Amino acid sequence: MTRTLIQIFLDTVEAHHKTAQFVRKIDGAWQELSADAALERVECLALGLESLGVTRGDRVAILAETRLEWALTDLAVLGLGAVSVPVYPTLIATQVATQLRDSETRVAVVSTLTQLEKLRSVCDSLPSLDAIVVMDGVASTGGSTGDATPRPREFCFDDVVARGRELRTRDPNAFRARAAAVRPDDLATIIYTSGTTGDPKGAMLTHGNISSNVEACLAVIQLVPTDICLSFLPLSHILERMAGLYAMLAGGATIAYAENMETVGLNAAEIKPTVLLGVPRFYEKVHARILDAAGKRPPIARRLFQWGLARGTERARARFERRSLGPLAKLSIALADRLVGKTIRARMGGRLRFCVSGGAPLAPHTLEFFFAIGIPILEGYGLTETSPVICLNVPGGEKPGAVGPPIPGVEVRIGDEGEILTRGPHVMTGYYRNPTATSAVIRDGWFHTGDIGKFDADGCLMITDRLKDLLVTAGGKKVAPQPIEASLKTSEWIAEAVLIGDQRPYIAALLVPDFARLHADHAASGGSPLDARALLALPEVRERFAREIERVNAGLAPFERIKRFSLFERELSQDAGELTPSLKVKRRVICERYHAMIEALYESAPDRVGSAA
């Protein structure tokens, strides 16, 4: 029988009574919260929220960074039968207001005074918002932190918990009664899509949608009570929420919260996680840092690293190709792993059993690198609207460029134009208050993903591109940009790539250089310090990128080849609205914001590769 999400939490508390269900760092020291203490806090918070007027079906927004209070708030809301609305803390005030207004949010729980100020600046446009609860830095006085009669009312998180504790004392079974009334087909959450190609829409997911995904994934990947997961991706994203919270609870694992995205490496060394979830950009950065650190070591150490990496790569490729290695190769690889792989793994705590990657395609060379150093990465595929996992690589059956077979209970078929369609208990009920958008993606019971893919001979799904991202040149040729962009990013000099060419005479590229590597290389060659613009203007630098494009072009059909390119003078960023919270490029934003740069590629282009014919 499908469980509700709150029942998953109650069951794991009852089954394990862990002394460290959650772990977080406060004032420089890691602190544990037991399963029973976490349950007590969830119960008190839920009853405290109920005292503010939250009832079954009400929407409660969570506007906070990934942290313990986020998880506790979510569980409390779900236990009341209410609906949580996760909001990325990086959004600006007007974007937050759009989501809260559309979802008709009644109560918002925010992390800091900075987030509180966002809501204060737009609260006049939020008629349904009745109360704001602040996790940090606010002590409520009679329920108010601002003016004598604020609208909406403002409360301190701890005070709301204290209110609930009094109510719990009067009726110890109150929360359990609310939780028992929740059903699998009840709406659990409204999650707004990040909007890479259009305006965000609120995907409605039930308890059953997400819990079915949890159980199906745990049938593929085993989690045990001795596991420790280091959580750092945004809990506002369905991947971290399903896999990093609910699945970890269902498997009995301990969840440790990183201090922030910049301290993941340090926190991993301290916590020694056995499981880690990331998006491709995270693994790419770790890959680059390891190579950069190795490149700065003395010559003998560099040669040892290169030898060890080569042996590890040999092992990884044998695994991917399902072939055995000879005795001498195994001995050499074991020695290399002891001298090189083990040292690298120690920097991430030394106990990682596996990592999971999702949110975007993972470059095959990045996957191969992690397997080479002895850290398996299991890549999966899915969308917010599918709770999210559709396919997942099976341990031992990993394959670069493929995202694995469909998980149990999930159907997948390839439709018109190669589009991936899916059907099953994981598919959302629809977009909130948007039947037009819902009917556009759910037809005859099948959810249309908008992605293009195919199955290989082993039944593993391979994603080739986004249907809406296909570039159709002026000559009518269809070009899938993502595989070409992925090939460009295999270069050590290219951090990001965006292909252009829809309704244009040829394909062009916008490239984000790896600025740290460029500056380091320039300094190593004796060059004087330069800013980004001056550095990119050097003929030898531009020629370097031209060679990288020629390398990629060699494997493409004539109509796919990149004819011209231009270089960004800074990295793309989430703060600038150019990347989604899962670090995917917002093509529409790039095309609009850099219109002049794109037009120049089809006029007097700054760089040219080959012929435009």
Side-chain angles (χ1 to χ4, degrees):
M1 178 181 176
T2 302
R3 294 184 290 176
T4 63
L5 297 173
I6 190 60
Q7 193 61 49
I8 287 175
F9 175 57
L10 295 174
D11 287 348
T12 202
V13 173
E14 182 64 28
H16 305 294
H17 294 288
K18 300 191 73 167
T19 57
Q21 183 63 69
F22 298 100
V23 184
R24 60 175 170 170
K25 199 172 188 180
I26 300 178
D27 297 328
W30 289 97
Q31 297 184 6
E32 298 175 348
L33 184 70
S34 71
D36 293 293
L39 174 56
E40 188 266 348
R41 196 161 176 81
V42 166
E43 290 183 349
C44 294
L45 178 58
L47 296 177
L49 290 172
E50 189 176 52
S51 76
L52 301 185
V54 176
T55 60
R56 185 181 178 86
D58 282 342
R59 269 74 67 199
V60 178
I62 307 176
L63 176 60
E65 302 74 20
T66 294
R67 53 191 286 178
L68 173 62
E69 291 86 355
W70 203 112
L72 299 180
T73 300
D74 184 47
L75 292 168
V77 171
L78 296 174
L80 290 174
V83 180
S84 59
V85 182
V87 182
Y88 286 101
T90 52
L91 297 183
I92 61 175
T94 53
Q95 293 171 319
V96 173
T98 296
Q99 295 187 13
L100 267 59
R101 186 166 51 250
D102 185 71
S103 60
E104 302 171 302
T105 286
R106 181 166 187 178
V107 173
V109 181
V110 304
S111 56
T112 62
L113 288 174
T114 299
Q115 303 297 343
L116 173 62
E117 288 301 328
K118 282 185 187 178
L119 292 189
R120 284 176 172 171
S121 70
V122 294
C123 65
D124 288 345
S125 67
L126 302 172
S128 63
L129 186 63
D130 182 57
I132 303 172
V133 179
V134 189
M135 296 175 186
D136 291 343
V138 179
S140 64
T141 303
S144 171
T145 61
D147 300 332
T149 56
R151 204 219 66 80
R153 299 171 294 158
E154 296 173 7
F155 301 89
C156 172
F157 187 89
D158 288 342
D159 288 350
V160 174
V161 173
R163 280 185 178 209
R165 186 167 287 112
E166 292 180 8
L167 295 170
R168 183 173 178 268
T169 301
R170 298 176 200 168
D171 184 358
N173 297 316
F175 175 79
R176 296 297 185 112
R178 310 290 189 276
V182 180
R183 294 291 178 261
D185 59 355
D186 286 343
L187 183 61
T189 187
I190 300 173
I191 303 177
Y192 285 83
T193 60
S194 53
T196 59
T197 58
D199 295 327
K201 300 178 287 291
M204 296 186 291
L205 299 175
T206 67
H207 285 258
N209 286 150
I210 302 175
S211 64
S212 72
N213 214 239
V214 168
E215 298 301 332
C217 288
L218 291 183
V220 177
I221 300 176
Q222 183 183 27
L223 292 173
V224 293
T226 53
D227 277 322
I228 300 176
C229 173
L230 181 62
S231 176
F232 61 90
L233 293 180
L235 274 165
S236 303
H237 194 285
I238 184 59
L239 172 63
E240 183 65 26
R241 191 164 165 206
M242 185 285 290
L245 176 58
Y246 307 135
M248 294 301 155
L249 291 174
T254 293
I255 304 170
Y257 291 103
E259 296 170 88
N260 55 62
M261 286 290 289
E262 301 306 315
T263 63
V264 172
L266 173 63
N267 294 158
E270 295 169 334
I271 286 295
K272 298 177 173 55
T274 61
V275 181
L276 189 145
L277 311 176
V279 293
R281 190 61 183 143
F282 167 75
Y283 296 113
E284 290 166 1
K285 287 185 175 182
V286 172
H287 181 192
R289 287 187 190 129
I290 293 173
L291 292 182
D292 187 56
K296 294 177 180 177
R297 302 186 70 187
I300 293 177
R302 285 203 305 271
R303 286 196 291 271
L304 176 62
F305 172 82
Q306 292 164 356
W307 173 80
L309 185 58
R311 300 288 74 73
T313 301
E314 182 182 356
R315 175 183 60 186
R317 290 175 179 172
R319 175 171 178 147
F320 297 148
E321 295 166 9
R322 316 291 182 255
R323 58 180 171 81
S324 300
L325 292 167
L328 289 178
K330 289 181 180 178
L331 183 62
S332 176
I333 289 169
L335 178 61
D337 188 67
R338 175 169 295 189
L339 295 176
V340 179
K342 185 177 180 180
T343 302
I344 298 173
R345 294 195 298 273
R347 297 175 193 167
M348 301 180 73
R351 296 201 307 159
L352 278 173
R353 293 201 298 121
F354 63 86
C355 297
V356 175
S357 178
L362 182 65
H365 78 283
T366 302
L367 182 73
E368 182 179 88
F369 172 81
F370 277 89
F371 272 91
I373 63 173
I375 300 177
I377 294 182
L378 302 174
E379 187 176 9
Y381 163 72
L383 299 90
T384 299
E385 293 89 341
T386 58
S387 302
V389 181
I390 296 173
C391 294
L392 182 61
N393 270 301
V394 179
E398 306 90 354
K399 185 181 299 186
V403 293
I407 60 175
V410 168
E411 294 181 72
V412 177
R413 68 179 176 88
I414 306 301
D416 297 337
E417 298 185 87
E419 185 178 11
I420 300 166
L421 312 181
T422 186
R423 180 171 66 180
H426 59 310
V427 175
M428 67 171 184
T429 60
Y431 293 117
Y432 186 64
R433 299 200 309 175
N434 198 335
T436 301
T438 300
S439 60
V441 295
I442 302 178
R443 303 195 293 273
D444 299 323
W446 290 90
F447 177 76
H448 292 240
T449 67
D451 290 320
I452 299 172
K454 60 183 179 181
F455 284 103
D456 67 11
D458 297 321
C460 293
L461 185 65
M462 303 177 70
I463 314 298
T464 57
D465 212 351
R466 284 286 300 172
L467 185 63
K468 292 181 180 179
D469 289 344
L470 274 179
L471 305 177
V472 183
T473 67
K477 297 290 187 180
K478 293 183 179 180
V479 178
Q482 286 189 350
I484 301 173
E485 290 165 348
S487 294
L488 287 167
K489 290 193 291 181
T490 61
S491 166
E492 61 181 341
W493 306 106
I494 299 174
E496 190 59 78
V498 182
L499 251 60
I500 304 297
D502 196 48
Q503 302 303 309
R504 303 281 192 170
Y506 51 82
I507 301 299
L510 305 179
L511 306 178
V512 178
D514 186 323
F515 288 104
R517 188 174 292 277
L518 280 178
H519 282 292
D521 181 75
H522 180 66
S525 63
S528 57
L530 298 173
D531 62 19
R533 176 175 293 183
L535 182 64
L536 296 181
L538 295 175
E540 61 269 26
V541 170
R542 308 199 76 87
E543 179 59 29
R544 176 177 290 149
F545 287 96
R547 288 196 301 269
E548 292 301 319
I549 287 182
E550 289 173 351
R551 172 183 62 83
V552 172
N553 277 346
L556 300 176
F559 67 87
E560 295 178 307
R561 291 173 188 158
I562 300 164
K563 307 299 183 184
R564 291 174 174 167
F565 72 93
S566 191
L567 303 173
F568 287 102
E569 295 179 357
R570 63 168 179 81
E571 293 185 351
L572 302 181
S573 75
Q574 187 179 341
D575 290 341
E578 297 155 342
L579 302 176
T580 71
S582 57
L583 305 182
K584 289 180 283 191
V585 173
K586 292 186 175 182
R587 292 182 182 275
R588 186 179 66 172
V589 172
I590 297 300
C591 289
E592 291 173 354
R593 184 168 297 173
Y594 298 99
H595 177 73
M597 180 188 291
I598 293 169
E599 288 301 315
L601 290 170
Y602 295 93
E603 295 170 358
S604 54
D607 287 283
R608 183 183 178 101
V609 180
S611 170

